Amino acid sequence: MTVSQNLVVTMNYSVKDEDGKIIDSSEGHEPLSFIQGTGSIIPGLEREILGKRKGDKFTIRVLPEDGYGPVDPSLVEIVPRAQFAGVKNLAVGMQLQAQTDDDTMVVTVVSLSEDEVTVDENHPLAGKTLDFELELLDVRDATAEELQHGHVHGIGGHHH
Ligand code: ZN
């Protein structure tokens, strides 16, 4: 079965930055499962995975515009330090999870003063060229329920 719209793909992955440093990997975790064509993975991957087969191993270079986007300077914000009252040992470079309406996002502390904190709300991988190594473990039809929920159930997906 080759990857096409609305099929469930399960894959092992590792991703390196331009310096060859591994940023993330499924090694030691569950593989990643997603429904092809639903925007659950970055556009550059979704496009290149289309038409690949179960068992295929390949590498893909993803440029920022096909990945997590360019760095947007308007996403750097100064907020009152009081908003971080609950954070222990607040420090420059620290990455914090912030809750938005329907998602969690990661913000990075850029600088600190007594009263204010400058945070960068860009995705930590924004502006980066990424080299992915992928191995497609499985390609299968999605169930009606998975398509309705918009996510995969079971291995590498939601358990509920
Ligand atoms: Zn579900």
Side-chain angles (χ1 to χ4, degrees):
M1 205 175 230
T2 60
V3 177
S4 63
Q5 180 73 31
N6 287 344
L7 293 187
V8 171
V9 179
T10 301
M11 65 185 189
N12 279 329
Y13 69 95
S14 75
V15 52
K16 294 177 187 164
D17 65 15
E18 284 149 273
D19 303 322
K21 188 183 133 218
I22 292 181
I23 300 168
D24 193 15
S25 163
S26 58
E27 209 182 308
H29 308 279
E30 274 193 353
L32 177 69
S33 292
F34 61 92
I35 303 174
Q36 171 71 14
T38 57
S40 26
I41 57 168
I42 55 175
L45 282 189
E46 199 160 69
R47 200 176 56 223
E48 295 294 327
I49 284 172
L50 193 67
K52 295 282 199 295
R53 290 167 185 278
K54 176 177 173 174
D56 281 355
K57 280 174 130 170
F58 49 97
T59 57
I60 299 172
R61 168 159 289 190
V62 177
L63 301 176
E65 53 269 34
D66 283 332
Y68 293 92
V71 173
D72 180 352
S74 74
L75 293 178
V76 177
E77 280 194 312
I78 297 172
V79 294
R81 186 153 181 159
Q83 285 191 16
F84 295 88
V87 180
K88 274 187 192 159
N89 306 320
L90 194 63
V92 170
M94 195 180 249
Q95 294 189 330
L96 302 163
Q97 294 219 333
Q99 199 71 40
T100 62
D101 289 343
D102 50 9
D103 214 354
T104 54
M105 62 186 286
V106 175
V107 303
T108 307
V109 177
V110 179
S111 67
L112 282 173
S113 75
E114 211 142 293
D115 308 319
E116 291 173 334
V117 180
T118 306
V119 292
D120 186 347
E121 295 171 359
N122 281 289
H123 190 283
L125 298 180
K128 291 193 195 294
T129 295
L130 302 170
D131 286 313
F132 286 86
E133 246 183 81
L134 304 177
E135 180 185 10
L136 300 194
L137 301 174
D138 195 25
V139 180
R140 64 165 170 87
D141 287 314
T143 64
E145 194 187 37
E146 285 172 327
L147 288 174
Q148 197 186 1
H149 289 201
H151 57 230
V152 176
H153 294 156
I155 294 168
H158 285 237
H159 300 276
H160 68 109

